[in-house]
Amino acid sequence: QMKKRILSLALLVRLLVFFSGCNDVDAPITQELCDGTHTDGNDNGQCDYCHKSVMTTFDLYAINDLHGKFVDGDNHPGVDELTTYLKKAALTDDNVILLSAGDMWQGSSESNLTSGLLITDWMNRLDFAAMALGNHEFDWGEDAIAANAALAEFPLLAINIYDRTTNTLVDYCQGSTVVEFDGIQVGIIGAIGDCYSSIAPDKVEDIYFKTGSELTKLVKEESQRLRSEGVDFIVYCLHDGYGQSGATPSTSPSSNRLSSYYDVSLSDGYVDVVFEGHTHQQYVIMDQYGVIHLQNRGDNKGGISHLEVSINTVTGSFSVDRKGLVEHSTYSSLADDPLIDQLLEKYSEQIGPANRIVGRTASYRNSDYLRQKVADLYYEAGVACWGETYDIILGGGFISVRSPYTLQAGEVTYGQLQNIFPFDNDLVLCSIQGRDLLNKFINTSNDNYYISGDSAMMSSVDPNATYYVVVDTYTSSYAPNRLTVVEEYEKGIYARDLLADFIENGGMQ
């Protein structure tokens, strides 16, 4: 009887509160009806008893393929205004999580001369939550990754990079991490796609990537583990992406279109959003399960990806309140943040060589000219070094350039050349069979192969004879080229160094 009277009294009080229009959720009777263990039977975002909000909102911001673009260049912005924008977001938004989908370090003189430490330090200051490893993180080898991991105050993520000897995850990264705030947990899983062809083979001799179905299995297992430990929302940071560079994806692509890099079954309850990279595209697309995929352009040109999410802390349901790409124009007019100059000063000794003026170019030089000139210089350097011992037929190979790709007329600094030719690939003398020389170099359809040499010899190649060529280690380590290294050039002399000497000696006047 007493229990019935108490329940009747409680009901009477609730009716009085309702009809009086009283919404004072802090009134004493509200505390009796809700002891803090909220319920939300109709999943409307409010407690059934005290009517307090049970929603937590957070913002995800993701950068991909920054490629070390720290300061303003000829055709790309630095991170000065972006730093101001992200700091402001951290102060004004409810909860902010900053992420990277990889390829952060390689590509600018300032970052390269510090082996990425400048960028990692910047990420520390902005309180990044995690960074997925990309293919260009391997350009300086695993020791450089380990050095950055030691400096980083956030985890490097790659659930699928395994040590060949131990068959376990490499020790400089982890599979996932968890961010907690306001009663929710956000899990972040990181992975690298099947990017072997974009890494010099000698840089990954001791490791391998689990891709395809093996990667799907790893991500699903990690997702299930995180869910079992109470994680409410799972972010997948994948260094791989839709289509080829420059293509425009459909807003709702089929699973077949995604299958080249992403198993759509992951979207069936395992991951809730995917931040992508590698292909330097700009898109916000949704797969068949309603999972959103975002990527922004590389080289800091297209801004950053953004998602605002609200989660019901009682039911676990969530909604995406905002999604899109924050264009660079959104924050380009903001004041420069002083952190940039502070970090440049901190690393001034390492990045000092970038400011050295090596000479002048009398006219604009496009990427084709620069790559052909590097092929010329490979051949000339090889003949000067080994010409008395070997009949060298050509120099060159796969010669890649990065932003800004070209040189404007006027003074040229070493930093400009390093931006265009950032890769630390040594020169080597190699032997090759005539048939492979014809197929892979002389008659190749690969537009990135540039060659220079003895035209008379190249016009009369014997398929069964052995020839000698001068290439860099990226070309020599690519197995299909069937090159055998015979001699090594002076260590630490790269394409940009040969080009700097050429300019310094008046070669572009």
Side-chain angles (χ1 to χ4, degrees), residues 83-287:
T83 302
T84 303
Y85 178 83
L86 292 176
K87 282 186 174 182
K88 183 179 179 181
L91 291 173
T92 57
D93 293 342
D94 293 325
N95 301 287
V96 169
I97 299 176
L98 301 183
L99 302 169
S100 164
D103 276 7
M104 293 293 287
W105 307 328
Q106 167 70 277
S108 80
S109 189
E110 295 79 18
S111 179
N112 287 24
L113 289 169
T114 65
S115 298
L117 295 177
L118 172 67
I119 299 298
T120 299
D121 206 341
W122 172 74
M123 295 172 73
N124 282 342
R125 307 295 182 94
L126 290 181
D127 198 24
F128 270 69
M131 169 184 160
L133 288 176
N135 55 290
H136 283 296
E137 266 70 69
F138 289 90
D139 284 349
W140 306 306
E142 293 181 273
D143 288 344
I145 299 177
N148 277 276
L151 175 64
E153 296 169 4
F154 52 88
L156 303 182
L157 302 181
I159 198 171
N160 59 330
I161 300 179
Y162 275 63
D163 185 286
R164 289 188 185 277
T165 302
T166 64
N167 286 318
T168 58
L169 192 68
V170 293
D171 57 10
Y172 46 76
C173 66
Q174 60 193 58
S176 68
T177 190
V178 176
V179 177
E180 300 184 44
F181 46 71
D182 293 352
I184 69 163
Q185 297 185 73
V186 178
I188 305 159
I189 300 173
I192 187 171
D194 190 357
C195 302
Y196 278 115
S197 63
S198 299
I199 304 174
D202 61 311
K203 305 299 184 183
V204 289
E205 290 175 336
D206 300 325
I207 61 175
Y208 65 96
F209 302 163
K210 290 190 175 184
T211 59
S213 60
E214 286 187 306
L215 174 56
T216 295
K217 183 174 183 290
L218 287 173
V219 175
K220 286 183 176 180
E221 289 175 347
E222 188 69 0
S223 172
Q224 289 172 325
R225 184 187 71 80
L226 292 172
R227 300 279 196 204
S228 71
E229 295 178 359
V231 168
D232 303 280
F233 188 87
I234 292 183
V235 179
Y236 188 24
C237 275
L238 173 63
H239 190 73
D240 210 346
Y242 192 97
Q244 299 297 317
S245 181
T248 302
S250 144
T251 55
S252 299
S254 67
S255 59
N256 289 336
R257 297 289 298 277
L258 293 174
S259 64
S260 64
Y261 75 96
Y262 179 78
D263 186 340
V264 76
S265 70
L266 290 172
S267 296
D268 188 12
Y270 296 98
V271 301
D272 299 312
V273 64
V274 189
F275 289 108
E276 302 171 353
H278 186 56
T279 55
H280 290 217
Q281 292 191 29
Q282 195 170 26
Y283 57 75
V284 179
I285 57 180
M286 184 178 294
D287 64 32

Side-chain angles (χ1 to χ4, degrees), residues 39-99:
T39 63
D40 187 7
N42 59 1
D43 199 15
N44 69 348
Q46 290 186 329
C47 175
D48 295 331
Y49 293 104
C50 69
H51 307 302
K52 286 184 177 179
S53 173
V54 292
M55 303 297 293
T56 292
T57 299
F58 62 95
D59 288 84
L60 292 158
Y61 292 94
I63 296 175
N64 61 270
D65 302 279
L66 179 68
H67 287 294
K69 299 301 188 291
F70 192 71
V71 298
D72 294 336
D74 291 339
N75 68 346
H76 66 262
V79 297
D80 38 14
E81 298 101 346
L82 174 60
T83 302
T84 303
Y85 178 83
L86 292 176
K87 282 186 174 182
K88 183 179 179 181
L91 291 173
T92 57
D93 293 342
D94 293 325
N95 301 287
V96 169
I97 299 176
L98 301 183
L99 302 169

Side-chain angles (χ1 to χ4, degrees), residues 396-446:
F398 187 97
I399 300 176
S400 180
V401 291
R402 304 294 299 188
S403 175
Y405 306 104
T406 62
L407 282 177
Q408 301 296 325
E411 289 185 340
V412 178
T413 66
Y414 184 80
Q416 287 176 284
L417 300 180
Q418 188 164 31
N419 288 344
I420 299 170
F421 295 100
F423 306 111
D424 297 350
N425 299 316
D426 293 298
L427 268 66
V428 287
L429 175 72
C430 296
S431 63
I432 186 173
Q433 288 298 108
R435 63 178 57 86
D436 296 316
L437 179 66
L438 289 168
N439 292 336
K440 303 298 182 180
F441 290 84
I442 295 176
N443 298 328
T444 182
S445 60
N446 191 322

